[in-house]
Amino acid sequence: AQTVTQSQPEMSVQEAETVTLSCTYDTSESDYYLFWYKQPPSRQMILVIRQEAYKQQNATENRFSVNFQKAAKSFSLKISDSQLGDAAMYFCAYRSNFGNEKLTFGTGTRLTIIP
Amino acid sequence: DAEITQSPRHKITETGRQVTLACHQTWNHNNMFWYRQDLGHGLRLIHYSYGVHDTNKGEVSDGYSVSRSNTEDLPLTLESAASSQTSVYFCASRRGLGTDTQYFGPGTRLTVL
């Protein structure tokens, strides 16, 4: 079974600085997808960024980028120029590409932005 | 704009009562999912559906049921609510196969007293 581990329950960063959230996962599969979701106080789960395992190039979405290390099974999220609106819980998630729709989530990292 | 909605947003019920949480999406997505979110566990899959009349059990399906009579709706029913089912429930949908992403509803906070 796949597992996703987020070892940082809480992180904080000064506004305008850069922060990196860690995620590791365990799988025996070679074809899968990885996601970062943001959950602000409103509780809505918002997709931040997505990475296909077969793509070597790291995904980027504006100020958000990932460092995907397939061999190490690591998928970290880097937030550049942190803004107050980035404060939220961030969840890393895994999905197999072999007909299984299940999203496996990590336990989350609470990110605080310090003005 | 297409969206996914959940109702009610908050619900308080008593142990043993039947409760139904509604989920409605207007994207015409084939795949729909129900998750529960508890501290220390992240989100865990309860049930999911690939289309009309299709339902499948997730990792924490005991005490829950779903039915899919149309594309837009996947109601989640707690047959006999238990205090252990106090949680925040999220519905999600996805168009189909490939790289499509699951999009989540706003969540329902359920308290079972």
Side-chain angles (χ1 to χ4, degrees), chain B residues 49-113:
Chain B
S49 168
Y50 289 142
V52 177
H53 302 311
D54 176 77
T55 62
N56 305 279
K57 293 181 178 180
E59 62 180 314
V60 290
S61 59
D62 287 348
Y64 303 94
S65 64
V66 294
S67 61
R68 187 93 179 267
S69 58
N70 58 55
T71 301
E72 295 80 16
D73 299 288
L74 186 69
L76 177 71
T77 297
L78 287 69
E79 301 293 344
S80 178
S83 58
S84 60
Q85 293 177 308
T86 293
S87 186
V88 179
Y89 291 85
F90 286 94
C91 181
S93 72
R94 190 169 87 94
R95 182 162 54 102
L97 300 177
T99 61
D100 289 338
T101 300
Q102 290 187 24
Y103 295 95
F104 286 79
T108 294
R109 182 177 295 278
L110 176 67
T111 302
V112 183
L113 301 175

Side-chain angles (χ1 to χ4, degrees), chain A residues 33 35 37 39 42-45 47 50 52 54 91 95 97 99-103 105-107, chain B residues 9 31 33 35 37 40 42-43 50 59 88 90 94 98-102 104-107 109:
Chain A
Y33 302 95
F35 306 86
Y37 281 90
Q39 187 178 40
S42 67
R43 292 205 311 260
Q44 182 87 41
M45 293 289 287
L47 176 69
R50 175 180 62 207
E52 290 91 343
Y54 63 86
F91 291 94
R95 182 173 71 81
N97 195 32
N100 186 342
E101 290 289 340
K102 176 184 173 182
L103 266 178
F105 285 86
T107 53
Chain B
R9 295 295 310 279
N31 302 343
F33 312 84
Y35 295 87
Q37 183 179 28
L43 280 78
Y50 289 142
E59 62 180 314
V88 179
F90 286 94
R94 190 169 87 94
T99 61
D100 289 338
T101 300
Q102 290 187 24
F104 286 79
R109 182 177 295 278

Side-chain angles (χ1 to χ4, degrees), chain A residues 6-18:
Chain A
Q6 293 178 251
S7 59
Q8 306 155 314
E10 297 184 354
M11 293 280 287
S12 61
V13 62
Q14 293 277 354
E15 192 175 3
E17 296 295 311
T18 295

Side-chain angles (χ1 to χ4, degrees), chain B residues 11-19 80-83 110-113:
Chain B
K11 175 76 175 178
I12 299 174
T13 190
E14 296 176 343
T15 301
R17 290 189 179 270
Q18 184 182 76
V19 177
S80 178
S83 58
L110 176 67
T111 302
V112 183
L113 301 175

Side-chain angles (χ1 to χ4, degrees), chain A residues 3-69:
Chain A
T3 59
V4 177
T5 301
Q6 293 178 251
S7 59
Q8 306 155 314
E10 297 184 354
M11 293 280 287
S12 61
V13 62
Q14 293 277 354
E15 192 175 3
E17 296 295 311
T18 295
V19 64
T20 298
L21 308 184
S22 300
C23 173
T24 59
Y25 58 96
D26 186 28
T27 183
S28 58
E29 298 174 338
S30 59
D31 193 8
Y32 50 86
Y33 302 95
L34 296 165
F35 306 86
W36 279 99
Y37 281 90
K38 169 186 177 181
Q39 187 178 40
S42 67
R43 292 205 311 260
Q44 182 87 41
M45 293 289 287
I46 302 166
L47 176 69
V48 175
I49 201 165
R50 175 180 62 207
Q51 175 80 42
E52 290 91 343
Y54 63 86
K55 290 186 177 180
Q56 293 187 345
Q57 186 174 7
N58 290 324
T60 299
E61 288 288 341
N62 300 314
R63 297 182 295 108
F64 299 87
S65 61
V66 299
N67 183 4
F68 174 48
Q69 302 289 329

